[in-house]
Amino acid sequence: MAIERTLSIIKPDATKRNLTGKIVAKFEEAGLRVVASKRIHLTAAQAGAFYAEHSERGFYGELCDFMASEPVVVQVLEGEGAIAKNREVMGATDPAQADDGTIRKDFALSKGENSVHGSDSAESAAREIAFFFSGLELVG
Ligand code: ADP
């Protein structure tokens, strides 16, 4: 399988509860390398632009407010099949449906406040990485 890069966000519910290190450890244990990382506090408008594909969904306003409620840690993860591997380590959107040992099973509070974001395709990964990082910030 090819070496890929994917965009990860450690969401406000997790940064607020000091879970950043524990979550990064799960990525690294799964063989994903952090090749870029920064802690930022999004505005609701920036969160809205990032999640534009969900703008018609009923939870969109709630999602934008949540993502702007506390700082987030945005990261680029690299590794073999990184896009699917990250989704596997994250677990299902709803923590009640997530497999044992996944980040969302261990840490998420609800379907909305679910601790992590991960790109869901190669196209999303390219767009989402470019949304947060310049090429100069990727230091694999
Ligand atoms: P995923 O993050 O697993 O790819 P989606 O792309 O379906 O999931 O949704 C994006 C994000 O929107 C979720 O991670 C979650 O934070 C939020 N979300 C999804 N569904 C709901 C819902 N029913 N109620 C509140 N928030 C939701």
Side-chain angles (χ1 to χ4, degrees), residues 5-7 33-38 74-78 125-126 128-140:
R5 286 177 170 175
T6 190
L7 192 278
R33 180 181 299 278
V34 178
V35 298
S37 180
K38 59 188 170 192
V74 292
Q75 300 189 298
V76 179
L77 306 177
E78 183 181 87
E128 293 178 359
I129 290 169
F131 186 91
F132 287 110
F133 294 99
S134 76
L136 286 175
E137 293 175 295
L138 304 171
V139 288

Side-chain angles (χ1 to χ4, degrees), residues 11 51 54 57 59 62-63 66 87 90-93 104 111-114 116-118 120:
K11 294 183 177 182
Y51 277 118
H54 293 308
R57 313 274 289 271
F59 57 79
E62 181 189 330
L63 175 61
F66 164 59
R87 300 281 299 181
M90 287 164 57
T93 309
R104 284 168 165 169
K111 197 171 181 181
E113 301 198 13
N114 59 3
V116 279
H117 166 85
D120 64 3

Side-chain angles (χ1 to χ4, degrees), residues 6-8 15 18 21 27 32 35-36 44 53 55 64 67-68 76 83-84 87 94 99 106 108 120 128:
T6 190
L7 192 278
S8 163
T15 61
N18 255 2
F27 296 142
L32 294 166
V35 298
E53 68 184 296
S55 61
C64 296
M67 291 300 289
V76 179
I83 297 165
R87 300 281 299 181
D94 182 348
D99 289 341
D106 288 354
D120 64 3
E128 293 178 359

